[in-house]
Amino acid sequence: MAAPTDPATGRYCGRFAPSPTGPLHLGSLLAAVASFLQARTRGGAWRLRIEDLDPPRAVAGAADAILRTLEAFGLHWDGEVRYQSGRGDAYAQAVERLRRTGHVYPCACSRREIADSARAGIEGAVYPGTCRAGVAAGRTARALRVRTDTAAITVVDGIQGPVTLDLAREVGDFVVRRADGPYAYQLAVVVDDAEDGVTEVVRGADLLYSTHRQIHLQRLLDLPSPRYRHIPVLTDRDGRKLSKSGGDAAVDPRNPVPTLWRALDLLGQSPPPELHRAPVGELWGWAREHWRIDAVPRVRSLLLTG
Ligand code: GLU
């Protein structure tokens, strides 16, 4: 399958977009390595975006630690690092456009009210549409929601295959600006991927069902959709995804080679055992020469043992 390129520049652009909620763990390193190799082996750009939209969840120093770890691993990005915390104007413009075209509406419901009246969907409560026709008298609008419609969206994921989702049934009208102020991840990611000219998104399969929301927003905002490939997430024995905020084992930037070797192995690349102790440049040389996205396991999660 041909690699997607920007029609204006003819160039492939990939990206890595960590949230600064803690140090990088092996699961996020996998997403970094896969997106990096995919971009570099196509002669493309690889951009870095720190998704620090949510001030209460950001951990002081985490963004800098992520940058230093990526550098220690030889994951060098192109251009300036983009910080979502500085992008409020761009997100406001996108929301304003959605408002003008009648695609968003204010919502006064509390989390509690939604939980009490909602059906369960693919990722939690489906918004029941309470404020769709207007906020009830005496109530104060809190969040902004985008209307969804019942036409199912099919994503043909480059690793997971076709995945169809009926957004209205399974997610419901979703938030683009939260009651406490910040813009939602779904909106910000769409605006930033478009601004950066990202042609292919390679990320963890925990975001597979976010893709349909992002495509919905791209269509409403008249933005191009990149191609998507979702790699498996790593889970522990209880089926829990490794997470930065959960304090799961951080990768050690002082000793990158064994971890990089393991990441390549988990990505199905079968690195030769003798490279386990090679200099990092040599391991990258091998990885760039042998990278095959088709060898990445076509599953949504991998159990991390040992
Ligand atoms: N910020 C998200 C995370 O750290 C990734 C978002 C994305 O790749 O679209 O899990």
Side-chain angles (χ1 to χ4, degrees):
M1 209 176 294
T5 51
D6 186 321
T9 61
R11 203 161 176 217
Y12 178 104
C13 180
R15 49 69 154 184
F16 178 54
S19 308
T21 52
L24 278 191
H25 56 72
L26 190 58
S28 29
L29 186 74
L30 238 53
V33 168
S35 57
F36 177 81
L37 282 169
Q38 184 69 358
R40 292 296 185 235
T41 54
R42 275 145 193 81
W46 187 67
R47 306 196 56 124
L48 180 61
R49 178 163 76 229
I50 298 291
E51 300 209 321
D52 54 352
L53 264 182
D54 193 348
R57 286 187 67 225
V59 171
D64 286 348
I66 290 173
L67 264 49
R68 281 197 305 273
T69 302
L70 292 173
E71 277 171 341
F73 272 85
L75 287 153
H76 302 295
W77 57 88
D78 293 305
E80 299 279 306
V81 180
R82 195 184 273 300
Y83 289 85
Q84 288 191 326
S85 52
R87 298 270 299 149
D89 289 351
Y91 307 146
Q93 267 176 32
V95 167
E96 178 51 25
R97 179 163 178 178
L98 293 171
R99 204 189 52 73
R100 269 202 324 269
T101 47
H103 295 297
V104 290
Y105 61 88
C107 169
C109 301
S110 66
R111 246 174 227 267
R112 187 55 190 270
E113 286 166 330
I114 297 171
D116 286 349
S117 60
R119 249 179 341 99
I122 195 141
E123 280 179 357
V126 177
Y127 181 64
T130 322
C131 298
R132 252 192 164 210
V135 170
R139 300 288 311 264
T140 310
R142 298 157 50 86
L144 277 178
R145 289 184 184 273
V146 65
R147 294 176 199 278
T148 53
D149 48 49
T150 45
I153 296 178
T154 299
V155 177
V156 183
D157 188 87
I159 294 175
Q160 306 291 337
V163 185
T164 299
L165 189 72
D166 178 335
L167 273 182
R169 245 185 81 76
E170 292 295 340
V171 177
D173 298 346
F174 57 92
V175 170
V176 289
R177 180 164 197 180
R178 291 183 356 203
D180 56 344
Y183 294 94
Y185 156 71
Q186 306 292 356
L187 178 93
V189 78
V190 158
V191 172
D192 288 343
D193 282 340
E195 171 81 21
D196 287 338
V198 170
T199 58
E200 182 169 71
V201 170
V202 179
R203 63 184 176 192
D206 51 324
L207 293 166
L208 186 57
Y209 290 112
S210 284
T211 309
H212 304 80
R213 272 165 269 183
Q214 292 167 18
I215 289 176
H216 181 59
L217 288 173
Q218 285 153 0
R219 290 179 182 168
L220 297 181
L221 289 166
D222 233 344
L223 298 173
S225 292
R227 181 174 165 75
Y228 291 92
R229 298 188 193 255
H230 287 84
I231 66 166
V233 293
L234 300 182
T235 60
D236 65 15
R237 276 179 217 288
D238 301 327
R240 229 173 34 93
K241 167 184 167 294
L242 302 193
S243 79
K244 293 197 270 306
S245 49
D248 286 306
V251 296
D252 184 357
R254 289 164 309 181
N255 190 19
V257 171
T259 312
L260 180 57
W261 192 96
R262 191 161 185 216
L264 291 167
D265 193 41
L266 286 163
L267 288 167
Q269 306 299 305
S270 311
E274 62 274 17
L275 291 186
H276 208 267
R277 294 215 188 108
V280 73
E282 198 176 317
L283 186 50
W284 276 123
W286 181 89
R288 286 169 85 134
E289 201 172 315
H290 294 89
W291 171 248
R292 281 181 51 235
I293 193 113
D294 289 344
V296 173
R298 292 169 184 263
V299 293
R300 299 200 186 163
S301 64
L302 283 174
L303 173 67
L304 192 61
T305 48

